[in-house]
């Protein structure tokens, strides 16, 4: 049996909120296309109307879920902004500078260590947050402004423009987010998807690769470190996701790894 | 009536009378309008549009004006406007009576933005719609420089019953050689209907007469506005008295929104191509498996046991 160390990166609440928003966001994009792309609406107005109604229902979920998360964990909100609005380090700038070359040549270009949230993540997630907020505001205006709370035509035109504009922004950043987060890009494969759609834990090796500064701090601190025992034959399977630790930290929790 | 209307609608225009496919227009001569509102009643009657019957029940409320309903609404496709310029004088009022309804533009912004194809320009040049195709997005409302389209079902938060309602130009009547409902009932002859060229000719002649009588601001409206409208106005007084924009045009934001569709298409292809290239470049990627010795602050290659990086804490490294 081998011991493998993991770091608990995301709480259950974070994962539930992210998962719900992710599904809602994808559905909003699909249903929104039925208004955005005329041939889709023209081909089946009934389906387009159904999509429009689901767009509104799911839109409410999309808006309410972050609020639910914020109410459930005010400290988490504070930590979130603390992570994202921190001062940029030289490594952060280096990361952004190398990002495109790295994406095109990951075998040759090596990225600098990063804190808990990479600079690229901060930029991309920031765009998603801004885009999401703008979509929510303009979407609510388009909805309520054409039903129970009529808005002037000029305001509706501006809101429609913003809704379309930030839809484009969201498409770019959501697709890129899925490409990296789901591990479609091979260097990101091996567990990143589980961070949000699994147990929220990242293996030591993966953490050191993606967020070097943060991983070392966490491993030294030991508070969020989980040690799992796995069969030796499974070590290779986990090789890209985990490493064998030396002696686990005394504060680390010991868990039995799932035999999947 | 309903049965008759359905029967009329079934007759195909071109088979019946190809001559009526010429570009048509409604002529509104404000100098002849007496403000009787018979056209409003005819419109509601022909199109089966209800009016609230309770006292003072118009949503817009009592405005202290003869203009009632004050604006177009979910069930009001046409309203007559009253402007009392000079009301501050002791006597003599330039009482401008206008008409507010769809202008049936040649450059119809509503048709451009309609995602489902519900709005379309018919063979007479009029902007009509198929309500069954309307998905209630209300984009047409924001795209109209005259702020004309209204929607039924706006009190339904779900938007299920939201459907456009605006003047269609009565294509079912035109197809059978009849005038639009509003025109057919106009007693003083302020409304006329016919070939657009002919209506413009009559309008120009009428304006010449009015100017000859001293109405210096009299003019024709709709010849070139919005690409040429299919409702031509003879304005007896200045345009500012008629709730009409001097230079009606589709908002630049509406045009920009339309540009985003091809941008999204091209952008999606570019994004897919870019990510596809990244994917291919990442295939076969392998990295050394590392672990961290937090006691000695060493990052170690698991396979070789080699220290690949030492974190010099004393030097401030992290």
């Amino acid at each position: 049996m081998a011991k493998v160390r993991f770091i608990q990166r995301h709480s259950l609440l974070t994962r539930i909120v992210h998962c719900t928003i992710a599904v809602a966001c994808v559905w909003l994009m699909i249903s929104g296309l039925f208004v955005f792309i005329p041939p889709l609406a023209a081909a089946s107005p009934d389906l387009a109307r159904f999509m429009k109604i689901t767009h509104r229902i799911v839109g409410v979920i999309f808006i309410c879920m972050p609020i639910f998360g914020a109410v459930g964990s005010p400290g988490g909100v504070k930590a979130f902004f603390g992570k994202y609005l921190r001062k940029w380090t030289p490594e952060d700038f280096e990361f952004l500078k190398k990002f495109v070359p790295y994406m095109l040549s990951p075998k040759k270009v090596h990225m600098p260590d990063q804190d808990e949230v990479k600079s690229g993540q901060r930029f991309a997630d920031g765009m998603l947050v801004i885009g999401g907020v703008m979509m929510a505001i303009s979407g609510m205006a388009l909805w309520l402004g054409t039903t129970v709370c009529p808005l002037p035509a000029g305001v509706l035109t501006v809101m429609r423009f913003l809704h379309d504009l930030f839809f484009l922004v969201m498409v770019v950043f959501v697709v890129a987010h899925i490409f990296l987060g789901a591990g479609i890009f091979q260097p990101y494969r091996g567990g990143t998807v589980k961070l949000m759609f699994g147990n929220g834990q990242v293996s030591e090796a993966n953490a050191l690769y993606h967020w070097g500064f943060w991983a070392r701090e966490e491993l030294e601190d030991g508070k969020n470190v989980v040690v799992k025992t796995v069969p030796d034959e499974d070590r290779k399977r986990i090789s890209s996701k985990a490493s064998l630790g030396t002696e686990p930290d005394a504060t680390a929790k010991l868990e039995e790894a799932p035999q999947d | 009536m309903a049965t008759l209307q359905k029967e009329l609608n079934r007759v195909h225009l071109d088979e019946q009378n190809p001559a009526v496919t010429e570009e048509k227009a409604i002529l509104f001569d404000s100098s002849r309008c007496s403000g009787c509102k018979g056209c409003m009643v005819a419109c509601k009657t022909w199109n089966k549009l209800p009016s609230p019957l309770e006292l003072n029940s118009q949503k817009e409320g009592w405005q202290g004006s003869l203009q009632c309903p004050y604006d177009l609404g979910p069930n009001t496709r046409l309203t007559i406007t009253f402007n009392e310029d000079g009301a501050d004088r002791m006597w003599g009022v330039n009482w401008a009576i206008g008409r507010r309804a769809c202008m049936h533009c040649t450059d119809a912004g509503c048709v451009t933005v309609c995602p489902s194809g519900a709005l379309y320009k018919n063979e007479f040049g009029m902007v009509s719609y198929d309500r069954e195709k309307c998905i209630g997005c209300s984009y047409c409302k924001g795209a109209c420089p005259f702020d004309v389209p209204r929607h039924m079902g706006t009190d339904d938060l779900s938007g299920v019953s939201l459907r456009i309602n605006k003047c269609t130009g009565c294509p079912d009547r035109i197809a059978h050689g009849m005038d639009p409902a509003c025109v057919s009932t106009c007693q003083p002859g302020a409304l006329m209907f016919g070939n657009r060229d002919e209506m413009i000719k009559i309008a120009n002649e009428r304006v010449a007469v009015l100017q000859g009588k001293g109405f210096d601001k009299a003019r024709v409206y709709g010849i070139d506005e919005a690409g040429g409208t299919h409702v031509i106005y003879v304005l007896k007084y200045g345009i500012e008295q008629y709730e009409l924009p001097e230079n009606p045009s589709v908002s630049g934001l509406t045009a920009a929104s339309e540009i985003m569709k091809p941008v999204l298409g091209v952008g999606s292809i570019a994004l897919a191509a870019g990510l596809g290239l990244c994917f291919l470049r990442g295939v076969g990627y392998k990295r050394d498996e590392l672990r961290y010795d937090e006691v000695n602050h060493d990052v170690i290659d698991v396979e070789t046991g080699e220290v690949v990086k030492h974190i010099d804490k004393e030097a401030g490294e992290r």
Side-chain angles (χ1 to χ4, degrees), chain A residues 24-60:
Chain A
C25 188
V26 170
W27 185 257
L28 287 170
M29 289 173 123
I30 293 169
S31 54
L33 285 177
F34 279 80
V35 175
F36 194 78
I37 300 176
L40 285 178
S44 177
D46 286 338
L47 181 60
R49 270 192 285 272
F50 169 75
M51 286 295 185
K52 193 188 79 171
I53 293 163
T54 65
H55 197 76
R56 293 173 172 189
I57 295 168
V58 176
V60 170

Short mmCIF file of all heavy atoms in Angstrom, two decimals, chain A residues 24-60:
data_model
loop_
_atom_site.label_atom_id
_atom_site.label_comp_id
_atom_site.label_asym_id
_atom_site.label_seq_id
_atom_site.Cartn_x
_atom_site.Cartn_y
_atom_site.Cartn_z
N ALA A 24 -26.52 25.57 -15.32
CA ALA A 24 -27.43 26.65 -15.70
C ALA A 24 -26.85 27.48 -16.85
O ALA A 24 -27.55 27.83 -17.80
CB ALA A 24 -27.71 27.54 -14.49
N CYS A 25 -25.56 27.76 -16.74
CA CYS A 25 -24.90 28.59 -17.75
C CYS A 25 -24.95 27.92 -19.13
O CYS A 25 -25.26 28.56 -20.14
CB CYS A 25 -23.45 28.84 -17.33
SG CYS A 25 -22.59 30.01 -18.36
N VAL A 26 -24.66 26.63 -19.14
CA VAL A 26 -24.69 25.91 -20.42
C VAL A 26 -26.11 25.91 -20.99
O VAL A 26 -26.32 26.14 -22.19
CB VAL A 26 -24.17 24.46 -20.24
CG1 VAL A 26 -24.42 23.63 -21.49
CG2 VAL A 26 -22.68 24.48 -19.92
N TRP A 27 -27.09 25.68 -20.11
CA TRP A 27 -28.47 25.67 -20.59
C TRP A 27 -28.91 27.06 -21.08
O TRP A 27 -29.60 27.18 -22.09
CB TRP A 27 -29.43 25.17 -19.51
CG TRP A 27 -30.82 25.05 -20.07
CD1 TRP A 27 -31.87 25.88 -19.89
CD2 TRP A 27 -31.26 24.03 -20.98
NE1 TRP A 27 -32.95 25.46 -20.63
CE2 TRP A 27 -32.61 24.33 -21.31
CE3 TRP A 27 -30.65 22.92 -21.55
CZ2 TRP A 27 -33.35 23.53 -22.18
CZ3 TRP A 27 -31.40 22.14 -22.43
CH2 TRP A 27 -32.72 22.44 -22.73
N LEU A 28 -28.46 28.09 -20.38
CA LEU A 28 -28.80 29.45 -20.81
C LEU A 28 -28.20 29.75 -22.18
O LEU A 28 -28.82 30.41 -23.02
CB LEU A 28 -28.30 30.47 -19.78
CG LEU A 28 -29.08 30.53 -18.47
CD1 LEU A 28 -28.36 31.39 -17.44
CD2 LEU A 28 -30.48 31.08 -18.69
N MET A 29 -27.00 29.25 -22.41
CA MET A 29 -26.36 29.48 -23.71
C MET A 29 -27.11 28.76 -24.82
O MET A 29 -27.36 29.32 -25.89
CB MET A 29 -24.90 29.02 -23.66
CG MET A 29 -24.02 29.90 -22.83
SD MET A 29 -22.39 29.19 -22.66
CE MET A 29 -21.40 30.49 -23.29
N ILE A 30 -27.48 27.54 -24.54
CA ILE A 30 -28.19 26.76 -25.56
C ILE A 30 -29.57 27.37 -25.83
O ILE A 30 -29.93 27.60 -26.99
CB ILE A 30 -28.34 25.29 -25.11
CG1 ILE A 30 -26.95 24.62 -25.07
CG2 ILE A 30 -29.27 24.53 -26.05
CD1 ILE A 30 -26.95 23.26 -24.40
N SER A 31 -30.29 27.65 -24.78
CA SER A 31 -31.65 28.20 -24.97
C SER A 31 -31.59 29.61 -25.56
O SER A 31 -32.45 29.99 -26.35
CB SER A 31 -32.43 28.18 -23.66
OG SER A 31 -31.72 28.84 -22.64
N GLY A 32 -30.56 30.36 -25.21
CA GLY A 32 -30.42 31.71 -25.75
C GLY A 32 -30.16 31.71 -27.25
O GLY A 32 -30.53 32.64 -27.95
N LEU A 33 -29.54 30.65 -27.73
CA LEU A 33 -29.26 30.57 -29.16
C LEU A 33 -30.54 30.57 -29.99
O LEU A 33 -30.54 30.97 -31.15
CB LEU A 33 -28.45 29.30 -29.48
CG LEU A 33 -26.98 29.32 -29.08
CD1 LEU A 33 -26.33 27.98 -29.37
CD2 LEU A 33 -26.23 30.42 -29.83
N PHE A 34 -31.64 30.14 -29.37
CA PHE A 34 -32.91 30.08 -30.12
C PHE A 34 -33.47 31.48 -30.39
O PHE A 34 -34.37 31.62 -31.21
CB PHE A 34 -33.93 29.22 -29.36
CG PHE A 34 -33.71 27.75 -29.60
CD1 PHE A 34 -32.73 27.07 -28.90
CD2 PHE A 34 -34.45 27.06 -30.54
CE1 PHE A 34 -32.49 25.73 -29.14
CE2 PHE A 34 -34.22 25.72 -30.78
CZ PHE A 34 -33.24 25.05 -30.07
N VAL A 35 -32.97 32.46 -29.68
CA VAL A 35 -33.35 33.83 -30.00
C VAL A 35 -32.23 34.49 -30.79
O VAL A 35 -32.47 35.28 -31.69
CB VAL A 35 -33.62 34.64 -28.71
CG1 VAL A 35 -33.89 36.10 -29.03
CG2 VAL A 35 -34.82 34.06 -27.98
N PHE A 36 -31.01 34.12 -30.46
CA PHE A 36 -29.84 34.76 -31.07
C PHE A 36 -29.68 34.35 -32.55
O PHE A 36 -29.28 35.15 -33.38
CB PHE A 36 -28.59 34.38 -30.28
CG PHE A 36 -27.39 35.22 -30.59
CD1 PHE A 36 -27.26 36.50 -30.05
CD2 PHE A 36 -26.40 34.75 -31.42
CE1 PHE A 36 -26.16 37.27 -30.34
CE2 PHE A 36 -25.28 35.52 -31.72
CZ PHE A 36 -25.17 36.79 -31.17
N ILE A 37 -29.97 33.08 -32.85
CA ILE A 37 -29.79 32.61 -34.22
C ILE A 37 -31.16 32.46 -34.87
O ILE A 37 -31.91 31.53 -34.57
CB ILE A 37 -29.02 31.27 -34.24
CG1 ILE A 37 -27.65 31.46 -33.59
CG2 ILE A 37 -28.87 30.74 -35.66
CD1 ILE A 37 -26.83 30.20 -33.47
N PRO A 38 -31.52 33.38 -35.78
CA PRO A 38 -32.86 33.39 -36.36
C PRO A 38 -33.33 32.06 -36.97
O PRO A 38 -34.47 31.66 -36.75
CB PRO A 38 -32.78 34.49 -37.41
CG PRO A 38 -31.74 35.42 -36.88
CD PRO A 38 -30.73 34.53 -36.22
N PRO A 39 -32.49 31.34 -37.71
CA PRO A 39 -33.00 30.09 -38.31
C PRO A 39 -33.49 29.08 -37.27
O PRO A 39 -34.40 28.29 -37.55
CB PRO A 39 -31.78 29.54 -39.06
CG PRO A 39 -30.95 30.73 -39.35
CD PRO A 39 -31.12 31.64 -38.17
N LEU A 40 -32.91 29.11 -36.07
CA LEU A 40 -33.35 28.17 -35.03
C LEU A 40 -34.77 28.50 -34.58
O LEU A 40 -35.61 27.62 -34.44
CB LEU A 40 -32.40 28.21 -33.83
CG LEU A 40 -31.05 27.52 -34.00
CD1 LEU A 40 -30.22 27.70 -32.74
CD2 LEU A 40 -31.22 26.03 -34.29
N ALA A 41 -35.02 29.80 -34.35
CA ALA A 41 -36.36 30.22 -33.92
C ALA A 41 -37.36 30.03 -35.04
O ALA A 41 -38.50 29.61 -34.81
CB ALA A 41 -36.33 31.67 -33.47
N ALA A 42 -36.92 30.33 -36.27
CA ALA A 42 -37.84 30.22 -37.41
C ALA A 42 -38.21 28.76 -37.69
O ALA A 42 -39.32 28.46 -38.10
CB ALA A 42 -37.21 30.85 -38.64
N ALA A 43 -37.26 27.86 -37.44
CA ALA A 43 -37.51 26.44 -37.72
C ALA A 43 -38.60 25.88 -36.81
O ALA A 43 -39.39 25.04 -37.23
CB ALA A 43 -36.22 25.65 -37.57
N SER A 44 -38.62 26.32 -35.59
CA SER A 44 -39.63 25.80 -34.66
C SER A 44 -39.97 26.86 -33.60
O SER A 44 -39.36 26.88 -32.53
CB SER A 44 -39.11 24.53 -33.98
OG SER A 44 -40.06 24.08 -33.04
N PRO A 45 -40.93 27.71 -33.92
CA PRO A 45 -41.31 28.74 -32.94
C PRO A 45 -41.78 28.15 -31.61
O PRO A 45 -41.52 28.73 -30.56
CB PRO A 45 -42.46 29.47 -33.64
CG PRO A 45 -42.23 29.25 -35.09
CD PRO A 45 -41.65 27.87 -35.19
N ASP A 46 -42.44 26.99 -31.65
CA ASP A 46 -42.91 26.38 -30.40
C ASP A 46 -41.72 25.99 -29.53
O ASP A 46 -41.72 26.22 -28.31
CB ASP A 46 -43.77 25.15 -30.70
CG ASP A 46 -45.15 25.55 -31.22
OD1 ASP A 46 -45.55 26.70 -30.94
OD2 ASP A 46 -45.78 24.74 -31.90
N LEU A 47 -40.72 25.38 -30.15
CA LEU A 47 -39.52 25.00 -29.40
C LEU A 47 -38.81 26.26 -28.89
O LEU A 47 -38.32 26.29 -27.75
CB LEU A 47 -38.57 24.19 -30.30
CG LEU A 47 -37.27 23.71 -29.65
CD1 LEU A 47 -37.55 22.81 -28.44
CD2 LEU A 47 -36.40 22.97 -30.66
N ALA A 48 -38.78 27.29 -29.73
CA ALA A 48 -38.14 28.56 -29.32
C ALA A 48 -38.87 29.16 -28.12
O ALA A 48 -38.23 29.67 -27.20
CB ALA A 48 -38.13 29.55 -30.49
N ARG A 49 -40.20 29.07 -28.14
CA ARG A 49 -40.96 29.60 -27.00
C ARG A 49 -40.67 28.80 -25.73
O ARG A 49 -40.52 29.35 -24.65
CB ARG A 49 -42.46 29.57 -27.31
CG ARG A 49 -42.95 30.85 -27.98
CD ARG A 49 -44.46 30.92 -28.00
NE ARG A 49 -45.00 30.02 -29.00
CZ ARG A 49 -45.21 30.34 -30.28
NH1 ARG A 49 -44.93 31.53 -30.69
NH2 ARG A 49 -45.71 29.47 -31.13
N PHE A 50 -40.59 27.47 -25.89
CA PHE A 50 -40.26 26.61 -24.75
C PHE A 50 -38.87 26.97 -24.21
O PHE A 50 -38.67 27.10 -22.99
CB PHE A 50 -40.30 25.14 -25.19
CG PHE A 50 -39.72 24.19 -24.17
CD1 PHE A 50 -40.43 23.86 -23.02
CD2 PHE A 50 -38.45 23.64 -24.35
CE1 PHE A 50 -39.90 23.00 -22.08
CE2 PHE A 50 -37.90 22.79 -23.40
CZ PHE A 50 -38.63 22.46 -22.26
N MET A 51 -37.95 27.18 -25.13
CA MET A 51 -36.59 27.53 -24.72
C MET A 51 -36.59 28.89 -24.00
O MET A 51 -35.85 29.10 -23.04
CB MET A 51 -35.66 27.59 -25.94
CG MET A 51 -35.30 26.22 -26.48
SD MET A 51 -34.31 25.30 -25.27
CE MET A 51 -33.92 23.83 -26.19
N LYS A 52 -37.42 29.79 -24.49
CA LYS A 52 -37.48 31.12 -23.89
C LYS A 52 -37.96 31.03 -22.43
O LYS A 52 -37.43 31.70 -21.53
CB LYS A 52 -38.43 32.02 -24.69
CG LYS A 52 -38.32 33.49 -24.34
CD LYS A 52 -39.39 34.30 -25.00
CE LYS A 52 -40.70 34.16 -24.27
NZ LYS A 52 -41.75 35.08 -24.73
N ILE A 53 -38.96 30.16 -22.21
CA ILE A 53 -39.48 30.01 -20.85
C ILE A 53 -38.43 29.36 -19.95
O ILE A 53 -38.19 29.80 -18.83
CB ILE A 53 -40.78 29.18 -20.87
CG1 ILE A 53 -41.87 29.97 -21.60
CG2 ILE A 53 -41.23 28.84 -19.46
CD1 ILE A 53 -43.04 29.14 -22.05
N THR A 54 -37.79 28.32 -20.46
CA THR A 54 -36.74 27.68 -19.65
C THR A 54 -35.59 28.66 -19.40
O THR A 54 -34.96 28.62 -18.35
CB THR A 54 -36.19 26.40 -20.32
OG1 THR A 54 -35.53 26.76 -21.54
CG2 THR A 54 -37.29 25.41 -20.61
N HIS A 55 -35.34 29.52 -20.40
CA HIS A 55 -34.27 30.53 -20.25
C HIS A 55 -34.53 31.39 -19.02
O HIS A 55 -33.61 31.72 -18.27
CB HIS A 55 -34.25 31.39 -21.52
CG HIS A 55 -32.98 32.17 -21.71
ND1 HIS A 55 -31.81 31.62 -22.15
CD2 HIS A 55 -32.70 33.49 -21.51
CE1 HIS A 55 -30.87 32.55 -22.23
NE2 HIS A 55 -31.39 33.70 -21.85
N ARG A 56 -35.79 31.72 -18.81
CA ARG A 56 -36.14 32.57 -17.67
C ARG A 56 -36.05 31.82 -16.36
O ARG A 56 -35.54 32.34 -15.36
CB ARG A 56 -37.54 33.14 -17.88
CG ARG A 56 -37.55 34.10 -19.05
CD ARG A 56 -38.91 34.57 -19.44
NE ARG A 56 -38.78 35.64 -20.44
CZ ARG A 56 -39.78 36.38 -20.87
NH1 ARG A 56 -40.99 36.19 -20.42
NH2 ARG A 56 -39.57 37.32 -21.76
N ILE A 57 -36.54 30.59 -16.36
CA ILE A 57 -36.51 29.80 -15.12
C ILE A 57 -35.06 29.53 -14.72
O ILE A 57 -34.66 29.74 -13.57
CB ILE A 57 -37.28 28.48 -15.31
CG1 ILE A 57 -38.77 28.77 -15.56
CG2 ILE A 57 -37.09 27.56 -14.11
CD1 ILE A 57 -39.56 27.57 -16.05
N VAL A 58 -34.28 29.08 -15.70
CA VAL A 58 -32.88 28.76 -15.41
C VAL A 58 -32.11 30.04 -15.09
O VAL A 58 -31.17 30.02 -14.27
CB VAL A 58 -32.25 27.98 -16.59
CG1 VAL A 58 -30.77 27.73 -16.35
CG2 VAL A 58 -32.97 26.66 -16.80
N GLY A 59 -32.52 31.14 -15.70
CA GLY A 59 -31.89 32.42 -15.41
C GLY A 59 -32.03 32.79 -13.95
O GLY A 59 -31.10 33.32 -13.33
N VAL A 60 -33.19 32.51 -13.40
CA VAL A 60 -33.42 32.79 -11.97
C VAL A 60 -32.47 31.93 -11.12
O VAL A 60 -31.87 32.42 -10.15
CB VAL A 60 -34.90 32.51 -11.59
CG1 VAL A 60 -35.08 32.57 -10.09
CG2 VAL A 60 -35.81 33.52 -12.28
#
